[in-house]
Amino acid sequence: MYSQGLIGADGQTNETPEFLETFQKRIDAEEKVEPTDAMPEGYRRTLVRQIGQHAHSEIVGMLPEGNWITRAPSLRRKAALLAKVQDEGGHGLYLYSAAETLGVSREEMTEELHSGKAKYSSIFNYPTLSWADIGTIGWLVDGAAIMNQIPLCRCSFGPYARAMIRVCKEESFHQRQGYEIIMTLAQGTPEQKEMAQDSLNRWWWPSLMMFGPHDADSEHSDQSMTWKIKRFTNDQLRQKFIDATVPQAEYLGLKVPDPDLKWNEEKGGYDHGEIDWDEFWRVVKGHGRMNRDRIKDRRAAWERGAWVREAALAHAEKRRARKIAAE
Ligand code: FAQ
C-alpha cells in the first residue's frame, strides 16, 4: 500500500547514457513520445503508475456522487448528475486504455486496485453527507482536477496528453454544474446557505490535499518534471487553485475555513494555513472514513460485471470463428 506496485516492469534494463540522452533531447524538443517508441523503463513505469492511479481515481470517484443520483432534488439535477457520473466512468476507460498502450493489462491494474496495492485520489475516501456535497465536489474537486489536468494536456506521452483534452472539457462542465448547485444553495434559505457552508468546511482541506505532498516531500516530482510528464509541481498547482477559488467563495458569500488565509500582495497570491499531512497520509494508506467501503464497492461491481465481460469475449470469439469459416 505504501508504494504503488510497478506492474508491467521487466526488471533489469540495459539503458546506455547515449540512449537516455537522446530520449531527453526529444523531450526537451517537445516531441511527443508514442507507445511504440523506445523509452526508458523508468519513464514507462512512472506513466503506468500515474495513469493507473488517475484511472482508478475516476472510477472510484463515481461512488461518492453515485450515492446521490436517486436523491437529487429535481429531474434537471438528476439528469446532470447522472451524465457527470457517466463521464467519470468514460474518463476511467480512456485512461485505462492509455495505460494499456504501455504494456499493462486492465485486469492487472484492476487487481492492484482491489488488493490495495494501487493508489487512487485521497479525496474519494470522504463521505457525501448532504446534497450540498454534490455541489462542492463539482466546484472544488473537479476544479482541482482541472487545475491539475490542463497541464497534463501537454504531457510528453501522446496517448495521455490526448486523452486529457476531452477529459478537461468534460471536467469544465462538471465544475460549472457544481458551482451552480452551490450558488443556488448559497442564495437560498438560511438553512440552505448553512448546508453549503458546512460542506465547504468539510471539503476545503481534503481538496487541497488532492495536489499531493509538499514539493519537499514529493518523491516523483523532479523526475516527472524533467520528463515533462508533470509541468508544474504539487505546490505550484495547489497555489493556483487557492488563488482561483477563494474569490469564488467570496462571491458566494461563503467563508473558506482557514483562519490563516491572507492575500499576500508581494507574491500576488494567498498565504494559507498548514495542511494536516498526518490526515493526508492516513487516508492515502487506507485508513480514511470510506476507504474500505470504496474498495468493497469496486470489487462487487467487478464481480457483478463478470458475465458482461464473458459474454463480450464469447461474442468476439463467435464472430472470429464465423469470419474464418467464411474465408
Ligand atoms: N491521493 O511524489 P508524489 C478527479 C501519492 S481525478 C493519493 O507527489 P506524483 C476527477 C503518489 O501517488 C483525481 N495518493 O507523486 C474526478 C505517490 O505514491 P506512489 C486524480 C497521492 O505522482 C472528479 C506519493 O503520494 N487525479 O478528481 C495523492 O508525482 C470528481 C508521493 O507523491 C490524478 O490522478 C493523493 N491526493 O504526484 C472524478 C491526476 N497525492 O505512487 C470523480 C494525475 C500523491 O509512489 C469526481 N496524477 N499521492 O505509491 C498526478 O498529477 C500526480 O500523480 C499527483 C501526485 C499530483 C496526484
Side-chain angles (χ1 to χ4, degrees):
M1 188 74 207
Y2 298 96
S3 184
Q4 186 166 322
L6 297 169
I7 43 184
D10 304 314
Q12 293 298 314
T13 58
N14 294 316
E15 289 160 358
T16 62
E18 292 75 28
F19 167 72
L20 295 174
E21 200 182 311
T22 308
F23 181 77
Q24 191 58 46
K25 276 198 185 131
R26 285 190 61 192
I27 298 284
D28 293 342
E30 297 289 338
E31 270 181 50
K32 285 277 177 267
V33 177
E34 297 299 336
T36 49
D37 294 348
M39 62 184 85
E41 184 56 17
Y43 179 83
R44 195 182 71 80
R45 290 183 190 200
T46 299
L47 283 164
V48 168
R49 179 185 64 78
Q50 178 167 326
I51 303 173
Q53 178 193 308
H54 195 164
H56 298 324
S57 302
E58 299 281 357
I59 299 287
V60 177
M62 296 168 78
L63 297 169
E65 287 170 289
N67 189 32
W68 278 88
I69 291 171
T70 54
R71 288 178 282 165
S74 69
L75 184 59
R76 184 168 87 88
R77 295 289 188 211
K78 189 189 288 246
L81 182 59
L82 194 58
K84 177 190 191 295
V85 173
Q86 282 178 336
D87 284 352
E88 310 296 1
H91 298 173
L93 298 187
Y94 312 149
L95 288 162
Y96 283 126
S97 300
E100 280 184 313
T101 68
L102 291 159
V104 57
S105 74
R106 172 95 180 262
E107 283 71 21
E108 284 174 277
M109 287 184 274
T110 303
E111 173 45 37
E112 288 223 326
L113 173 68
H114 293 174
S115 69
K117 239 196 229 170
K119 291 190 171 72
Y120 58 88
S121 184
S122 50
I123 193 75
F124 302 117
N125 293 309
Y126 292 84
T128 39
L129 303 179
S130 73
W131 171 250
D133 289 0
I134 300 309
T136 310
I137 288 180
W139 171 32
L140 299 185
V141 176
D142 285 277
I146 294 170
M147 199 54 91
N148 169 280
Q149 287 166 199
I150 292 278
L152 290 176
C153 297
R154 292 189 295 120
C155 166
S156 58
F157 184 58
Y160 194 23
R162 290 189 288 274
M164 278 302 113
I165 293 171
R166 176 163 172 177
V167 168
C168 284
K169 285 185 184 157
E170 292 178 351
E171 301 291 24
S172 170
F173 153 69
H174 300 166
Q175 200 268 353
R176 283 162 204 219
Q177 70 88 39
Y179 195 70
E180 203 226 338
I181 292 173
I182 287 294
M183 196 152 59
T184 306
L185 293 174
Q187 292 169 354
T189 63
E191 288 81 4
Q192 286 173 321
K193 187 166 182 187
E194 179 45 40
M195 214 168 137
Q197 181 64 56
D198 168 65
S199 181
L200 175 59
N201 293 349
R202 285 181 289 108
W203 290 88
W204 175 255
W205 292 103
S207 299
L208 300 190
M209 294 174 195
M210 283 177 72
F211 295 93
H214 267 321
D215 293 351
D217 300 318
S218 168
E219 195 186 328
H220 306 292
S221 276
D222 284 351
Q223 184 59 68
S224 289
M225 300 273 287
T226 306
W227 278 329
K228 298 191 194 292
I229 293 171
K230 283 167 87 161
R231 297 279 177 163
F232 294 95
T233 68
N234 299 354
D235 286 334
Q236 284 170 338
L237 289 174
R238 190 169 11 248
Q239 184 69 51
K240 276 171 179 274
F241 173 75
I242 294 170
D243 294 345
T245 311
V246 171
Q248 294 169 357
E250 280 167 2
Y251 178 79
L252 292 168
L254 299 179
K255 194 165 166 27
V256 172
D258 178 356
D260 298 322
L261 193 72
K262 206 168 77 233
W263 178 255
N264 181 330
E265 192 61 47
E266 219 169 282
K267 86 170 177 189
Y270 286 89
D271 290 333
H272 61 88
E274 193 50 36
I275 291 168
D276 183 346
W277 293 111
D278 288 342
E279 173 179 323
F280 171 73
W281 289 114
R282 217 172 30 248
V283 174
V284 170
K285 289 172 185 174
H287 308 299
R289 271 178 76 176
M290 300 304 290
N291 295 62
R292 264 189 221 142
D293 293 70
R294 298 297 184 234
I295 293 300
K296 183 163 78 57
D297 288 349
R298 282 312 314 158
R299 277 211 195 110
W302 182 255
E303 280 157 23
R304 275 200 306 269
W307 72 270
V308 180
R309 294 189 298 278
E310 282 161 21
L313 282 174
H315 179 63
E317 182 51 38
K318 271 192 200 161
R319 283 184 61 168
R320 196 183 65 85
R322 270 203 299 270
K323 197 168 164 229
I324 290 172
E327 276 167 7

